[in-house]
Amino acid sequence: GAGVSQTPSNKVTEKGKYVELRCDPISGHTALYWYRQSLGQGPEFLIYFQGTGAADDSGLPNDRFFAVRPEGSVSTLKIQRTERGDSAVYLCASSSGETDTQYFGPGTRLTVL
Amino acid sequence: DQQVKQNSPSLSVQEGRISILNCDYTNSMFDYFLWYKKYPAEGPTFLISISSIKDKNEDGRFTVFLNKSAKHLSLHIVPSQPGDSAVYFCAASVSESGGSQGNLIFGKGTKLSVKP
C-alpha cells in the first residue's frame, strides 16, 4: 500500500515569506507526527495529532509555526515569516495509534535564503 | 542537553562481519526504544524496537540489546551486508499506556558503511 507522502519534496523560499508543507499519512492512520531534521542532527519532534486535534504541540519552536489536520487525515505545517534557521528537512510520520510503529515520509527539504 | 546520544558518528565494517551500533540515554523515564535506518533522500525506516521490560529483541539479522542499569542499548547486525550501509538512528520514548512510542527522541545517528 501507499506510504506517507509529503509535498513538495523541495521548497526554496526567501526570508520573511510564508510556506506550507503538506503531509498525506497512510490511509486509516489516526496519529500523525511532524519532526524537523537539521544537518547533522536526528529528527526533532514538533507536533503530534490524534485525529483532528493536536495532542501535543510542545515541540513547536515558536508561534511562527502552526499545523492543522482539519479532517483527521492530511496535515499542513505552516511557517510564517521564515528565517534562515528554519532551513531543514521536515519529516512527517503516521501510525495507526499511540502504540504503533511510526512510518515516516521522505520529507520536505526547506531552504530559506 | 541530549537525552539520547550516539557517540560514534560513523562505523565501517567488512561484509559478513558483525556491526555493533551503540546508543546511550540519560532519561530514566524512557521505556521504549527503537532503531531506524535512513538512506539519503528518504525518510527513516523502522528497523526494530524493544520495551524496557526486555533486555533483548531479535529479528533476523538484527538484534537489539538493552542494559537499563547502564542506560545503554546496542544494535547488532550479523552478518553485515553492503545494503546495510545507511545512517542508523536510535530513538526513545516515554509511554503512558505501555508499549506506546509517543513522541520520539532521536540521537544524532551513526553512519554505517559495509565494505564488500
Side-chain angles (χ1 to χ4, degrees):
Chain A
V4 177
S5 63
Q6 292 186 246
T7 53
S9 55
N10 280 284
K11 176 70 177 178
V12 180
T13 191
E14 293 180 343
K15 179 174 179 293
K17 299 289 188 183
Y18 168 83
V19 296
E20 289 189 353
L21 311 179
R22 176 187 168 108
C23 172
D24 281 86
I26 293 171
S27 178
H29 278 193
T30 57
L32 186 147
Y33 300 81
W34 283 99
Y35 292 83
R36 175 170 73 172
Q37 185 176 12
S38 301
L39 195 62
Q41 305 294 318
E44 294 179 287
F45 168 74
L46 295 176
I47 187 170
Y48 153 53
F49 289 89
Q50 185 62 252
T52 60
D56 183 352
D57 64 357
S58 62
L60 295 177
N62 52 60
D63 61 6
R64 295 187 298 105
F65 289 75
F66 189 71
V68 296
R69 195 186 184 200
E71 297 178 359
S73 178
V74 171
S75 176
T76 304
L77 178 66
K78 308 180 180 193
I79 310 174
Q80 298 177 321
R81 303 182 304 279
T82 52
E83 300 178 355
R84 292 193 180 89
D86 298 335
S87 296
V89 175
Y90 288 81
L91 294 162
C92 176
S94 71
S95 71
S96 59
E98 286 192 46
T99 60
D100 288 338
T101 301
Q102 294 183 32
Y103 296 92
F104 282 82
T108 294
R109 180 174 296 278
L110 175 66
T111 303
V112 182
L113 301 176
Chain B
D1 179 26
Q2 277 235 295
Q3 297 186 68
V4 176
K5 300 178 183 179
Q6 293 177 257
N7 293 318
S8 297
S10 63
L11 174 68
S12 182
V13 301
Q14 204 67 33
E15 180 179 8
R17 306 294 291 269
I18 185 171
S19 295
I20 300 177
L21 297 105
N22 293 303
C23 178
D24 297 289
Y25 61 96
T26 58
N27 188 343
S28 58
M29 297 297 291
F30 287 146
D31 58 1
Y32 200 76
F33 304 89
L34 310 91
W35 285 93
Y36 279 82
K37 178 170 75 172
K38 186 181 184 303
Y39 294 116
E42 295 183 10
T45 302
F46 171 74
L47 202 54
I48 192 168
S49 63
I50 188 167
S51 165
S52 60
I53 62 173
K54 297 184 177 180
D55 55 18
K56 176 183 175 181
N57 188 26
E58 189 173 352
D59 183 2
R61 297 186 296 114
F62 303 91
T63 303
V64 56
F65 295 91
L66 175 63
N67 182 335
K68 283 180 292 185
S69 61
K71 295 192 177 70
H72 177 84
L73 64 156
S74 60
L75 174 68
H76 292 211
I77 306 174
V78 181
S80 301
Q81 300 173 354
D84 295 329
S85 298
V87 177
Y88 288 79
F89 289 99
C90 172
S93 72
V94 177
S95 68
E96 295 177 355
S97 54
S100 170
Q101 294 191 32
N103 308 324
L104 301 177
I105 309 298
F106 284 85
K108 290 186 177 184
T110 297
K111 184 175 183 179
L112 173 66
S113 299
V114 180
K115 301 185 183 305

